[in-house]
Amino acid sequence: MELEIFAAHLRTLRQQAGLSQEALAARLGVSAQSVSKWENAANWPEAALILPLARLLGVSADELL
């Protein structure tokens, strides 16, 4: 259940930041498919991506998670 909550939260934050999945992926150096999997609760981002992801979305790591 936690992954589903994270996925919905990530999608909302990305949309609020005005980023497409492709744009977010490019900035993080991952594929758009990876971002899609995160937002569809298929898997978590790698731990090393949490801080860069939070920064790009303008939130703290705590708020992201």
Side-chain angles (χ1 to χ4, degrees):
M1 184 66 169
E2 291 175 1
L3 181 55
E4 291 172 355
I5 294 168
F6 170 80
H9 186 55
L10 175 60
R11 181 180 300 111
T12 299
L13 290 172
R14 178 184 55 76
Q15 291 171 341
Q16 288 175 348
L19 295 169
S20 66
Q21 288 183 345
E22 293 80 9
L24 182 61
R27 291 186 182 190
L28 289 171
V30 299
S31 69
Q33 183 180 15
S34 291
V35 175
S36 177
K37 286 181 179 181
W38 303 339
E39 291 186 0
N40 287 301
N43 62 12
W44 292 91
E46 293 180 24
L49 293 174
I50 296 299
L51 285 176
L53 181 56
R55 286 186 192 118
L56 282 171
L57 297 174
V59 297
S60 68
D62 286 343
E63 184 177 343
L64 175 61
L65 297 174

